Amino acid sequence: MRWLTRIGWLLLLVGLLPVISILVASAISALAGCNVNEGIITPCVIGGTDYGETLAYLFTFGWMIFFTLPLVIIGAALLLIRLVQSLLARRRSGG
């Protein structure tokens, strides 16, 4: 049943990639002192190179959560099922 846990974590991770992209874009822009949003591409110069467009695309990728949310739900359900199975097995074994 370890495969159930692995599939659950994989689905959860893939489903949360849009949220992770928002967090990464926000963190990079905050460290660089830039303002990034999905509406307007603003310049964000880091080390002499403008990453404003890349950060804006990363930030906009967050809207994909509406498509990946079912993966998050399925992954969380699989992990919950595995947790319940593990607790029941532990209870039956007396430990």
Side-chain angles (χ1 to χ4, degrees), residues 7-93:
I7 291 174
W9 281 114
L10 180 66
L11 289 175
L12 200 62
L13 176 66
V14 170
L16 289 176
L17 280 176
V19 175
I20 294 169
S21 74
I22 290 175
L23 294 175
V24 167
S26 296
I28 292 172
S29 66
L31 289 173
C34 304
N35 183 19
V36 175
N37 61 46
E38 68 269 4
I40 299 172
I41 297 175
T42 56
C44 184
V45 179
I46 302 170
T49 305
D50 183 14
Y51 291 100
E53 188 174 352
T54 304
L55 291 174
Y57 287 143
L58 271 175
F59 200 80
T60 305
F61 184 66
W63 285 101
M64 291 297 291
I65 192 69
F66 291 112
F67 298 107
T68 61
L69 193 59
L71 296 177
V72 173
I73 293 169
I74 293 169
L78 289 176
L79 290 173
L80 183 62
I81 289 169
R82 183 64 183 118
L83 176 66
V84 169
Q85 285 176 341
S86 176
L87 291 175
L88 288 175
R90 187 178 295 182
R91 186 178 219 189
R92 285 187 203 129
S93 68

